[in-house]
Amino acid sequence: MPTGHTPAGIHDRLRELRDLKELARRGPDPHATERQHARGRLTAHERIELLLDEGSFTEIEPLRRHRATGLGLEARRHYTDGVVTGWGTVEGRTVFVCAHDFRVLGGTLGEAHAQKIHKIMDMAVAAGAPLVSLNDGAGARIQEGVLAQAGYGEIFRRHARASGVIPQITVILGPCAGGAAYAPALTDFVFTVRDLSQMFITGPDVVQAVTGEEVTLNGLGGACVHAEVSGVAHFLYDDEETCLAEVRCLLSLLPSNNRELPPTVFCDDPADRPGEALLDLVPADGSRSYDIRRVIEELVDDGDFMEVHAGWAPNIVCALARMDGQTVGVVANQPTVMAGVLDSKASEKGARFVQFCDAFSVPLLTLVDVPGFLPGVDQEHEGIIRRGAKLLYAYCNATVPRVSVVLRKAYGGAYIVMDSRSIGADVALAWPGNEIAVMGAEGAANVVFRRDIAEAEDPEAMRRQKIEEYKRELVHPYYAAERGLVDDVIDPRETRATLIRALAMLRAKDADAPRRKHGNPPQ
């Protein structure tokens, strides 16, 4: 065959291929995209283009079709089978994506659809790169029966095996109902969009039939419900564009897998920048509140951090940020909400965040201002012992660099749980106004000196005297430092510089866990 000769028919084949791929991208009919936009939702490809670097997406199996028959499916064998899968880059780093296409069979999951997801999940683990799932589907494809159910089972199994190996992120951009809702719950982070995202195990009709309760889709499992009530969703945004931009931001803070450290970026915010504002942000009076997020802003690079679960259990703040260009996970009590007390929800929120940071080599910074665990019958009946132990277990089990700072109050068991030196903090610091004690001086004096107060001629004067005595003996700022439970008491203005030096020292920390199959954390 002469050089440069083109075999007969190849141009026809290329045109056919181009037309098929255009059909797969366009959807099953010319108006499918219009209907999706009319619902206020983007298409799968539009979402992927927002998520990934421009022109970086490589799609796999765009021409996949199901092979099911019966119940009319043989006449609806559309390309992609309702899910777009492939890989691309975010800020130059590889990311794998699967995106439900609601235009094709409602984005429902059947055998072929599931197998595409299985393949991309396996590829993500093999390549050691994050997986982002863009969910917008009506659940299992009923016409395919148990094959669809088995397809979900294989997805669940893969999510569990990939947990702690690669970052897994789910973005809910439409309905996610029935068994399908368990897949997002198995991933590390769930993003939602207001008035768009819906997740529930049983829909409003079933709920009404079984319990008699009338509820709307959003009232049952809308974005606000899961971001503020159930805690299923970690992030809530007003539109898809902002949501996907924030997914990119999160990915930029995380390593690609558990064998890598988080990426380091150039930082022009000086490591030794003094924090003059900190002197006024935290009141010396322990009964006055302040916003711990203002303190975090003063400590981290450029005042920029990404808060996780901002709307749920707000009495504890969990956030990802950078210090001197290095990613850190911040856990902090929030005095503006319930005085920063730990309750069952805050304990669970903190525990999951600590476990994630430990799994992906993200150092932990803990800012402590906690009056204790929330007392009450409801808390005891909700299992505050069991659920509070989750946070304790997570910290005790963590092998990443851990630095804690007592800003003000640190009372009782809550002080121990908030990454104290006694449970393994590598560096424990405190500000000069710290009060580290079993309980506040007022309560302690009432217990320890109860008889003296009761028998005094002036009980109130005796009580004030004993409170001052207790403070003088046990609650002064240097009591813990004198006994080695705090490594140093520092000038608040030097906190950023001190933390950065400590984290730099700990960067090569090697703390192997004991050999075991796995632990058995409190449930």
Side-chain angles (χ1 to χ4, degrees):
M1 183 180 298
T3 302
H5 179 70
T6 303
I10 187 63
H11 292 297
D12 292 335
R13 293 297 186 188
L14 289 174
R15 278 193 295 271
E16 180 185 29
L17 175 62
R18 184 174 61 251
D19 291 344
L20 287 176
K21 289 194 172 182
E22 177 57 29
L23 176 61
R25 184 181 177 94
R26 186 172 67 239
D29 70 70
H31 304 293
T33 298
E34 294 176 14
R35 290 196 295 271
Q36 181 72 354
H37 288 165
R39 299 184 188 102
R41 307 207 294 263
L42 301 175
T43 67
H45 281 283
E46 288 170 341
R47 289 163 174 165
I48 291 171
E49 288 167 1
L50 286 172
L51 174 67
L52 301 178
D53 297 339
E54 185 177 357
S56 70
F57 182 56
T58 298
E59 186 175 354
I60 64 168
E61 296 197 0
L63 303 182
R64 186 73 182 265
R65 298 195 291 179
H66 71 73
R67 56 186 178 182
T69 58
L71 301 177
L73 280 181
E74 61 273 13
R76 304 173 68 191
R77 298 181 65 240
H78 307 305
Y79 293 112
T80 74
D81 202 49
V83 64
V84 178
T85 58
W87 71 88
T89 60
V90 171
E91 296 189 4
R93 295 192 301 147
T94 299
V95 173
F96 286 81
V97 182
C98 66
H100 296 150
D101 191 343
F102 196 85
R103 304 171 305 167
V104 179
L105 298 169
T108 54
L109 181 139
E111 180 188 31
H113 180 121
Q115 288 174 351
K116 288 182 67 174
I117 296 176
H118 301 162
K119 178 182 286 188
I120 208 68
M121 295 179 78
D122 291 342
M123 292 175 72
V125 172
L131 173 70
V132 179
S133 303
L134 307 179
N135 287 25
D136 183 8
R141 192 172 300 162
I142 299 173
Q143 300 94 319
E144 294 197 34
V146 72
L147 288 176
Q149 296 293 92
Y152 273 123
E154 291 287 339
I155 290 173
F156 301 157
R157 181 170 66 90
R158 284 170 168 81
H159 276 311
R161 290 181 64 85
S163 180
V165 178
I166 58 171
Q168 300 180 87
I169 297 170
T170 302
V171 189
I172 307 297
L173 298 169
C176 184
Y182 284 113
L186 290 170
T187 61
D188 298 307
F189 296 104
V190 177
F191 285 72
T192 56
V193 176
R194 198 183 308 274
D195 299 325
L196 202 64
S197 310
Q198 297 163 350
M199 299 173 65
F200 41 80
I201 300 299
T202 53
D205 293 341
V206 176
V207 169
Q208 184 173 6
V210 174
T211 70
E213 298 171 284
E214 293 187 18
V215 64
T216 64
L217 285 171
N218 283 330
L220 178 65
C224 293
V225 167
H226 289 305
E228 299 168 2
V229 180
S230 73
V232 173
H234 300 80
F235 301 99
L236 171 65
Y237 299 101
D238 291 330
D239 55 76
E240 291 193 47
E241 292 81 1
T242 303
C243 179
L244 293 170
E246 290 301 303
V247 175
R248 286 177 58 90
C249 178
L250 176 61
L251 287 167
S252 74
L253 290 161
L254 304 179
S256 293
N257 56 67
N258 65 339
R259 301 182 303 277
E260 298 180 4
L261 294 175
T264 301
V265 302
F266 171 76
C267 174
D268 57 8
D269 189 355
D272 58 354
R273 167 174 53 80
E276 295 291 340
L278 293 172
L279 297 180
D280 298 320
L281 282 177
V282 180
D285 182 355
S287 64
R288 292 179 57 197
S289 70
Y290 62 93
D291 191 343
I292 193 65
R293 291 172 295 188
R294 296 284 308 281
V295 175
I296 296 172
E297 287 176 0
E298 286 296 316
L299 297 178
V300 303
D301 292 351
D302 302 313
D304 187 27
F305 64 92
M306 188 172 192
E307 187 173 354
V308 179
H309 263 146
W312 185 67
N315 44 319
I316 195 168
V317 171
C318 299
L320 290 163
R322 288 192 175 94
M323 298 193 74
D324 199 28
Q326 305 283 335
T327 300
V328 295
V330 181
V331 181
N333 307 111
Q334 175 56 291
T336 61
V337 182
M338 301 163 59
V341 71
L342 284 178
D343 63 356
S344 56
K345 291 181 179 179
S347 298
E348 287 191 340
K349 171 179 169 178
R352 185 110 193 298
F353 183 74
V354 168
Q355 287 172 176
F356 174 83
C357 290
D358 187 49
F360 290 101
S361 302
V362 177
L364 285 162
L365 166 61
T366 304
L367 303 177
V368 185
D369 190 349
V370 62
F373 280 98
L374 181 64
V377 174
D378 288 345
Q379 282 295 301
E380 297 295 343
H381 289 185
E382 285 180 13
I384 186 63
I385 297 172
R386 169 177 57 83
R387 298 164 80 178
K390 291 184 180 184
L391 181 55
L392 178 61
Y393 184 97
Y395 270 124
C396 290
N397 207 43
T399 60
V400 292
R402 293 157 52 187
V403 181
S404 65
V405 186
V406 177
L407 307 184
R408 203 168 56 171
K409 300 184 300 296
Y411 294 157
Y415 154 62
I416 300 298
V417 168
M418 288 295 292
D419 205 19
S420 62
R421 162 66 81 180
S422 59
I423 66 168
D426 296 297
V427 176
L429 305 168
W431 284 4
N434 77 82
E435 296 180 4
I436 301 175
V438 174
M439 63 175 68
E442 291 79 2
N446 289 337
V447 173
V448 176
F449 305 111
R450 179 175 61 251
R451 181 172 297 178
D452 294 339
I453 294 171
E455 295 175 352
E457 291 184 7
D458 186 344
E460 185 57 31
M462 177 61 72
R463 192 176 78 88
R464 290 195 298 269
Q465 176 186 328
K466 292 302 183 182
I467 288 172
E468 290 305 314
E469 180 181 338
Y470 185 84
K471 286 182 177 180
R472 187 168 57 252
E473 293 293 327
L474 295 174
V475 191
H476 65 77
Y478 307 105
Y479 184 87
E482 290 171 0
R483 287 151 182 81
L485 297 175
V486 167
D487 294 305
D488 197 9
V489 179
I490 63 172
D491 184 333
R493 294 170 295 185
E494 298 174 359
T495 305
R496 172 175 163 84
T498 304
L499 291 174
I500 287 174
R501 286 197 300 269
L503 291 169
M505 175 272 293
L506 291 165
R507 195 159 294 147
K509 176 184 175 182
D510 183 12
D512 289 334
R515 183 180 179 186
R516 60 184 174 183
K517 187 173 182 180
H518 57 74
N520 187 25
Q523 296 298 322

